[in-house]
Amino acid sequence: QSVVTQPPSVSGTPGQRVTISCSVSASNIGSKTVNWYQQLPGTAPKLLMYNYSQRPSGVPDRFSGSKSGSSASLAISGLQSEDEADYFCAAWDDSLNGRLVVFGGGTKLTVL
Amino acid sequence: QVQLQESGPGLVKPSQTLSLNCTVSGGSISSGAYYWTWIRQHPGKGLEWIGYIYYSGNTYSNPSLKSRLTMSLDTSGNDFSLRLTSVSVADTAVYYCARGSYHKGFDYWGQGILVTVSS
């Protein structure tokens, strides 16, 4: 089963661009897909990005995703106070036990 | 608009069985290739994937929970359920149900239900 690692926290000022990394331990990152979720305080997570870089309808284009080697990244440009939240990446892992999902530990974004 | 709603007891005693139900509205649970999923979040912690049941009835579980976990689908009630046996305080968490697909992630979530394991 894959291990998915995120930094515990990042911060930025309004208007700034921040990135959150998601490292997936796997020798074949190409067989997986990564999604990103935003969780505002006291609410259920919300899908922010799927298939590394695809935005669901309604997600502002300030949010973008990318894949680089064995990592995925989420970038937020034009940072706003309402972006302050926890962000989780999730990797879908095809294994002998089937198609499993592993979440990263989450990254708390603080808008200073 | 698809909506999911968890239901079940908020308090379970240690060693007993935790049973939760997720009712789906705005779409049929048996249409489309979706993974009907359970995810939990321990207090103040990150998300943990519990497992999912495919629309065909096949199930896939987190290896760490597999021996205690049963999931089922009720197409007539348009809902799906989770049973976790031999619970301990370590199973205290907010439990979410969600709809997922490999290519589009978990796109709809329930609001979550807090389950406390305590005597």
Side-chain angles (χ1 to χ4, degrees):
Chain A
Q1 194 173 356
S2 297
V3 175
V4 181
T5 305
Q6 299 178 234
S9 64
V10 298
S11 62
T13 56
Q16 201 175 17
R17 181 178 188 269
V18 297
T19 61
I20 300 172
S21 63
C22 174
S23 174
V24 181
S25 70
S27 60
N28 187 12
I29 185 73
S31 69
K32 305 187 190 318
T33 187
V34 171
N35 314 131
W36 288 93
Y37 300 87
Q38 177 194 56
Q39 187 177 33
L40 298 170
T43 69
K46 168 192 167 186
L47 179 66
L48 205 58
M49 204 72 59
Y50 62 90
N51 196 20
Y52 293 101
S53 60
Q54 305 301 304
R55 276 190 311 275
S57 173
V59 173
D61 60 7
R62 301 187 296 105
F63 294 88
S64 62
S66 63
K67 173 184 172 182
S68 176
S70 60
S71 291
S73 292
L74 175 72
I76 310 171
S77 59
L79 200 60
Q80 300 179 3
S81 58
E82 55 260 41
D83 298 332
E84 187 161 289
D86 293 321
Y87 292 83
F88 296 92
C89 64
W92 290 67
D93 185 355
D94 280 322
S95 74
L96 292 175
N97 294 317
R99 185 167 279 171
L100 310 180
V101 179
V102 181
F103 282 96
T107 299
K108 182 173 183 60
L109 169 62
T110 301
V111 180
L112 302 170
Chain B
Q1 176 80 346
V2 174
Q3 293 184 311
L4 294 90
Q5 178 70 58
E6 304 88 352
S7 60
L11 181 64
V12 182
K13 288 182 168 33
S15 80
Q16 292 191 341
T17 297
L18 183 164
S19 295
L20 295 175
N21 199 61
C22 180
T23 301
V24 180
S25 58
S28 172
I29 203 168
S30 55
S31 67
Y34 292 112
Y35 300 102
W36 301 98
T37 304
W38 292 97
I39 293 161
R40 69 181 182 181
Q41 186 168 33
H42 295 103
K45 302 295 183 184
L47 301 170
E48 179 182 27
W49 175 74
I50 297 172
Y52 56 69
I53 183 164
Y54 201 40
Y55 77 109
S56 62
N58 290 342
T59 61
Y60 299 91
S61 308
N62 187 321
S64 68
L65 298 169
K66 189 173 184 177
S67 63
R68 299 192 290 131
L69 182 66
T70 303
M71 291 175 287
S72 59
L73 203 64
D74 178 1
T75 55
S76 61
N78 214 43
D79 57 38
F80 60 104
S81 62
L82 166 152
R83 290 182 75 248
L84 187 66
T85 61
S86 304
V87 298
S88 70
V89 294
D91 294 307
T92 293
V94 174
Y95 286 75
Y96 295 101
C97 59
R99 187 185 83 166
S101 67
Y102 179 78
H103 294 290
K104 292 198 171 183
F106 301 116
D107 54 358
Y108 291 100
W109 294 65
Q111 65 184 24
I113 182 169
L114 174 62
V115 178
T116 302
V117 179
S118 174
S119 55

